Amino acid sequence: MKTQDLTKHCGTAIEGVQLARLEGEALDRVREIAYRRGVAVFRDQDFGPEDHIAFAKRWGGIDINNYFPLTDEHPEIAVVRKRKDQTMNIGGGWHTDHSYDQVPAMGSILVARDLPPSGGDTLWAHMGAAYDALPDETKAKLELLEAFHTADHIYAPDGIYAKTDQGGELRGKDLKTGATHPVVVRHPQTGQKLLYVNPGFTINFAGRSREESLPLLQELFAHAMKEEFQCRVGWEPGTVAIWDNRTTWHYAMNDYQGHAREMHRITLTGEPLAA
Ligand SMILES: O=C(O)CCC(=O)C(=O)O
Ligand SMILES: [Fe+2]
């Protein structure tokens, strides 16, 4: 196994591994890289839907996403799709998947299935590096804070997607979500301190209104969005990415209008988060 870090803080490309056969100690090494570097990227994978599901089960549990369409044959696999005549994509803003769940998903395994001729990259940002770089006064302010997360403003009938051409295919419009998590969490496996608020799903600090929360939230978002914490992955047929939702945010570029893009995602079960 050969590894190459994508940027100083975020992402590692792993060579010499076929995920379909990965197990045991080598799998544990990949886990560790995903936990610490936020995203592990694999090229030239022979990785069909059955391999995808079997690998996710070797990793741990599978969470079924309540909103994305599922493949007919495999309800474990969510389809992240933009048809060529759609203008809105999925995940086109910085976010952390499932932070609105009481027990947020650990991460995801995303597989490229149909790619535009160019564009459609995915960006990740490392929330451990972002936390470490905060001024000490800000770190002190965050110490005992908790924040409320929900997905209702995104997926509800009057939510963001419903107003776009992605609205039709999404499920779960009547679901209500909400969870409160510490603003700084410890990574369950590595113990690293991570900034755990995100622009997609975090609404307010516990005990404060949205209005009272916005100035500090926006300060944190602007800080964490800095390019120095990011890495970027261009997809090719056979590319697979495994990311950790606690360690990172991610962002799907929407710069391929007039072309289709389809990815298969399996969401990996996580554990409760604590400060
Ligand atoms: O399509 C992508 O690159 C990522 C989309 C996304 O946010 C997700 O699958 O969670
Ligand atoms: Fe996402």
Side-chain angles (χ1 to χ4, degrees):
M1 189 185 302
K2 227 177 89 187
T3 63
Q4 180 156 27
D5 290 345
L6 302 184
T7 61
K8 182 172 175 210
H9 297 296
C10 184
T12 297
I14 301 182
E15 274 177 50
V17 166
Q18 278 296 326
L19 293 171
R21 296 190 292 276
L22 185 69
E23 57 187 3
E25 263 177 44
L27 172 57
D28 289 341
R29 273 191 71 194
V30 167
R31 267 184 225 280
E32 193 67 19
I33 290 168
Y35 295 152
R36 291 191 187 278
R37 300 285 306 166
V39 55
V41 182
F42 305 83
R43 304 290 186 184
D44 302 316
Q45 296 297 304
D46 187 3
F47 202 59
E50 316 285 348
D51 300 317
H52 196 178
I53 294 167
F55 178 76
K57 287 184 176 162
R58 289 203 292 286
W59 185 290
I62 295 176
D63 278 7
I64 307 284
N65 179 281
N66 288 323
Y67 301 107
F68 301 157
L70 307 173
T71 64
D72 295 336
E73 308 80 25
H74 305 289
E76 298 91 339
I77 298 178
V79 182
V80 177
R81 174 166 49 213
K82 185 178 176 224
R83 299 185 197 278
K84 69 173 192 241
D85 58 351
Q86 287 176 307
T87 56
M88 179 80 171
N89 73 337
I90 300 278
W94 286 110
H95 67 282
T96 301
D97 296 339
H98 294 216
S99 72
Y100 47 81
D101 285 340
Q102 298 294 335
V103 180
M106 175 265 138
S108 278
I109 306 168
L110 193 68
V111 184
R113 294 292 179 215
D114 183 16
L115 293 169
S118 65
D121 293 358
T122 307
L123 281 64
W124 282 267
H126 198 292
M127 291 303 114
Y131 175 79
D132 290 344
L134 284 170
D136 285 342
E137 315 86 86
T138 312
K139 285 182 184 162
K141 257 194 251 177
L142 304 183
E143 194 93 345
L144 295 169
L145 277 185
E146 295 190 318
F148 175 74
H149 303 241
T150 178
D152 297 356
H153 59 298
I154 309 275
Y155 297 110
D158 57 351
I160 288 173
Y161 281 124
K163 300 191 180 88
T164 74
D165 55 11
Q166 279 286 354
E169 272 183 289
L170 292 172
R171 304 175 298 120
K173 293 190 180 64
D174 299 327
L175 289 175
K176 289 272 170 281
T177 57
T180 299
H181 304 291
V183 168
V184 180
V185 300
R186 290 261 180 200
H187 191 283
Q189 283 79 32
T190 69
Q192 185 176 19
K193 280 188 160 188
L194 307 161
L195 185 62
Y196 197 73
V197 287
N198 70 85
F201 302 117
T202 311
I203 308 298
N204 58 275
F205 297 111
R208 298 189 202 169
S209 68
R210 167 85 172 153
E211 216 173 34
E212 289 164 336
S213 303
L214 266 183
L216 179 55
L217 271 181
Q218 278 169 349
E219 183 188 321
L220 295 173
F221 293 159
H223 166 81
M225 246 175 243
K226 286 181 194 157
E227 212 175 316
E228 61 193 279
F229 308 128
Q230 297 175 18
C231 59
R232 177 173 185 143
V233 172
W235 298 88
E236 293 159 18
T239 302
V240 178
I242 305 175
W243 73 83
D244 185 317
N245 280 322
R246 293 77 56 95
T247 311
T248 55
W249 290 352
H250 59 279
Y251 181 115
M253 297 288 293
N254 187 11
D255 56 355
Y256 52 95
Q257 297 303 349
H259 299 282
R261 179 175 179 275
E262 183 168 321
M263 315 293 275
H264 278 184
R265 188 179 108 184
I266 293 184
T267 314
L268 299 163
T269 306
E271 47 269 276
L273 298 175

Coordinates of all heavy atoms in Angstrom, one line a residue, residues 68 80 90-91 95 97 108 110 120-122 235 243 250-252 261 263 265, ligand 1:
F68 N -32.3 10.5 -0.5 CA -31.9 10.3 -1.9 C -32.6 9.1 -2.5 O -33.0 8.2 -1.7 CB -30.4 10.0 -2.0 CG -29.5 11.2 -1.5 CD1 -28.3 10.9 -1.0 CD2 -30.0 12.5 -1.4 CE1 -27.5 12.0 -0.6 CE2 -29.3 13.5 -0.9 CZ -28.0 13.3 -0.5
V80 N -26.7 9.5 -6.0 CA -26.5 11.0 -6.0 C -26.4 11.3 -7.5 O -25.4 11.1 -8.1 CB -25.2 11.3 -5.2 CG1 -24.9 12.8 -5.3 CG2 -25.3 10.8 -3.8
I90 N -26.7 17.7 -6.1 CA -26.9 17.3 -4.7 C -25.6 17.7 -4.0 O -24.5 17.3 -4.4 CB -27.1 15.8 -4.6 CG1 -28.4 15.4 -5.3 CG2 -27.2 15.3 -3.1 CD1 -29.7 15.6 -4.6
G91 N -25.7 18.3 -2.8 CA -24.4 18.5 -2.0 C -23.6 19.7 -2.5 O -22.4 19.8 -2.3
H95 N -21.2 21.1 3.6 CA -22.0 20.4 4.6 C -21.3 19.2 5.2 O -20.3 18.7 4.7 CB -23.4 20.0 4.0 CG -23.2 19.0 2.9 ND1 -22.8 19.2 1.7 CD2 -23.4 17.6 3.0 CE1 -22.7 18.1 0.9 NE2 -23.1 17.1 1.7
D97 N -22.7 15.3 6.1 CA -23.9 14.5 6.0 C -24.4 14.0 7.3 O -23.6 13.6 8.2 CB -23.5 13.2 5.2 CG -23.1 13.5 3.7 OD1 -23.4 14.5 3.2 OD2 -22.4 12.6 3.2
S108 N -19.0 8.1 4.4 CA -19.6 7.5 3.2 C -18.5 6.9 2.3 O -17.4 7.3 2.4 CB -20.4 8.6 2.4 OG -21.7 8.7 3.0
L110 N -18.2 6.7 -1.6 CA -18.8 7.2 -2.8 C -18.1 6.7 -4.1 O -16.8 6.7 -4.1 CB -18.7 8.8 -2.8 CG -19.6 9.5 -3.9 CD1 -21.1 9.4 -3.6 CD2 -19.2 11.0 -3.9
G120 N -17.3 18.6 -12.0 CA -17.9 17.6 -11.1 C -17.0 17.1 -10.0 O -17.2 16.0 -9.4
D121 N -15.9 17.9 -9.7 CA -15.0 17.5 -8.6 C -15.7 17.6 -7.2 O -16.8 18.3 -7.1 CB -13.8 18.5 -8.5 CG -12.9 18.4 -9.7 OD1 -13.2 17.5 -10.6 OD2 -11.9 19.1 -9.7
T122 N -15.2 16.9 -6.2 CA -15.7 17.1 -4.9 C -14.5 17.7 -4.0 O -13.4 17.3 -4.1 CB -16.1 15.7 -4.3 OG1 -17.0 15.1 -5.2 CG2 -16.8 15.9 -2.9
W235 N -12.9 13.1 -10.3 CA -13.3 11.8 -10.5 C -13.0 11.2 -11.9 O -13.1 11.9 -12.9 CB -14.8 11.7 -10.3 CG -15.2 12.1 -8.9 CD1 -15.5 13.4 -8.5 CD2 -15.4 11.3 -7.7 NE1 -15.8 13.4 -7.1 CE2 -15.8 12.1 -6.6 CE3 -15.2 9.9 -7.5 CZ2 -16.0 11.6 -5.4 CZ3 -15.4 9.4 -6.2 CH2 -15.8 10.3 -5.2
W243 N -14.9 8.9 3.1 CA -14.7 10.0 3.9 C -15.3 9.9 5.3 O -16.2 9.1 5.5 CB -15.1 11.3 3.3 CG -16.6 11.6 3.2 CD1 -17.3 12.2 4.2 CD2 -17.4 11.4 2.1 NE1 -18.6 12.3 3.7 CE2 -18.7 11.9 2.4 CE3 -17.2 10.9 0.8 CZ2 -19.8 11.8 1.6 CZ3 -18.3 10.9 -0.1 CH2 -19.6 11.3 0.3
H250 N -17.8 18.5 3.2 CA -17.6 18.3 1.8 C -18.5 19.2 0.9 O -19.5 19.7 1.5 CB -17.6 16.8 1.4 CG -18.9 16.2 1.6 ND1 -19.3 15.7 2.9 CD2 -20.0 15.9 0.8 CE1 -20.5 15.1 2.8 NE2 -20.9 15.2 1.6
Y251 N -18.2 19.2 -0.4 CA -18.9 20.2 -1.3 C -18.7 19.6 -2.7 O -17.6 19.3 -3.1 CB -18.1 21.5 -1.2 CG -18.6 22.7 -2.0 CD1 -19.2 23.8 -1.4 CD2 -18.5 22.6 -3.4 CE1 -19.6 24.9 -2.2 CE2 -19.0 23.7 -4.2 CZ -19.5 24.8 -3.6 OH -20.0 25.9 -4.3
A252 N -19.9 19.4 -3.3 CA -19.9 18.9 -4.7 C -20.0 20.0 -5.7 O -21.0 20.7 -5.7 CB -21.0 17.9 -4.9
R261 N -24.3 13.4 -14.2 CA -23.3 12.8 -13.3 C -24.0 11.9 -12.3 O -25.1 12.3 -11.8 CB -22.6 14.0 -12.6 CG -21.5 13.5 -11.5 CD -20.9 14.8 -11.0 NE -19.9 14.6 -9.9 CZ -20.1 14.4 -8.6 NH1 -21.3 14.4 -8.2 NH2 -19.1 14.3 -7.8
M263 N -23.4 9.2 -9.0 CA -22.5 8.5 -8.1 C -23.4 7.6 -7.2 O -24.6 7.8 -7.0 CB -21.9 9.6 -7.1 CG -21.4 10.8 -7.8 SD -20.0 10.6 -8.9 CE -18.7 10.7 -7.7
R265 N -23.7 6.1 -3.4 CA -23.2 6.3 -2.1 C -23.7 5.3 -1.1 O -24.9 5.0 -1.0 CB -23.6 7.7 -1.6 CG -23.0 8.1 -0.3 CD -23.4 9.5 0.1 NE -24.3 9.4 1.3 CZ -24.9 10.5 1.8 NH1 -24.7 11.7 1.3 NH2 -25.7 10.3 2.8
Ligands
LIG1 O1 -21.6 14.1 -5.5 C1 -20.7 14.4 -4.7 O2 -19.5 14.6 -5.1 C2 -20.9 14.4 -3.2 C3 -22.4 14.7 -3.0 C4 -22.7 14.6 -1.5 O3 -22.7 15.6 -0.8 C5 -22.9 13.3 -0.9 O4 -22.9 12.3 -1.6 O5 -23.0 13.3 0.3

